[in-house]
Every structure is written in C-alpha cells, then in structure tokens.
Amino acid sequence: RARQRVAEAELREAESTGDEIKAARARQRVAEAKLGLTLCTREAELREAESTGDEIKAARARQKVAEAKLGLTLCTREAELREAESTGDEIKAARARQRVAEAELREAES
C-alpha cells in the first residue's frame, strides 16, 4: 500500500511539472504497485484456503495467484519495452518486444 501511495505521489508531481516521460514511468510504477498489492492479497487468500483444508477453494486461490503473477510480469515487460524504445536501441527494443509477446502468450494460455 505504501509503495502505491508513493508511486501515486510521484505521478501527481510528474503530471504537475508536465514531464511526460516521468509521468509515464510513474504511471507504470502505480500499475506495478497495484498489481503487487493484488498478488499479495491473492497469496494471503491462498494461505487461508490451504489452512482450511478446502482443496477446491485452495485450487481456485492458486489459479488467482498464478493470474496475478502473470499480470505483474506482463506489466513489467511492457515497461521494459517502453524504456527500451525510448533509448532508440533497436536490438534492446526487439528483445523487449519478444519478452512482451512471451508474457502475453503465457497470460493467454492461462
């Protein structure tokens, strides 16, 4: 939660200065913080489900944890791509595009 609040404050600051690059990076940090919080929540739900011994509930919780991890990975890969593209390094950007495509595929398969 604290990480999300810090990222949101950085976003407000970047937007107030009109620095679009900083604002885009801050938006990315906000998104990652939200996804990270979702992942933590899902992991807590999994621990709770496992502690009850309810295998159906635990299986659903495991699936939600996996989905949250995939979402966070995709978000991170997209940020890496934007960063690579901003440098103008086409080799780095091509590698980043490949990692985004792989993350999208994993997410689609789940």
Side-chain angles (χ1 to χ4, degrees):
R1 269 265 193 242
R3 194 172 146 213
Q4 182 179 342
R5 284 192 291 269
V6 168
E8 288 168 344
E10 290 171 350
L11 174 57
R12 285 190 297 276
E13 182 182 330
E15 287 175 338
S16 72
T17 64
D19 187 334
E20 281 305 310
I21 293 171
K22 278 187 180 178
R25 288 180 180 145
R27 278 187 213 94
Q28 181 63 36
R29 285 191 296 278
V30 168
E32 288 175 348
K34 287 179 179 179
L35 287 169
L37 183 58
T38 298
L39 177 57
C40 289
T41 301
R42 298 295 181 238
E43 288 172 336
E45 291 169 353
L46 173 58
R47 286 190 298 275
E48 182 181 328
E50 288 175 337
S51 72
T52 66
D54 184 339
E55 280 306 310
I56 294 171
K57 193 174 185 179
R60 287 186 188 132
R62 279 187 211 91
Q63 179 62 32
K64 288 180 181 181
V65 167
E67 290 169 2
K69 285 180 179 179
L70 288 171
L72 185 55
T73 298
L74 179 57
C75 183
T76 301
R77 296 295 180 243
E78 289 171 339
E80 291 169 354
L81 173 58
R82 283 191 293 279
E83 188 69 29
E85 288 175 337
S86 73
T87 67
D89 184 337
E90 281 305 311
I91 294 171
K92 197 176 201 179
R95 288 181 184 140
R97 279 187 211 94
Q98 179 63 35
R99 287 190 297 271
V100 167
E102 290 168 358
E104 288 173 338
L105 181 61
R106 280 192 299 276
E107 189 171 60
E109 289 174 341
S110 68

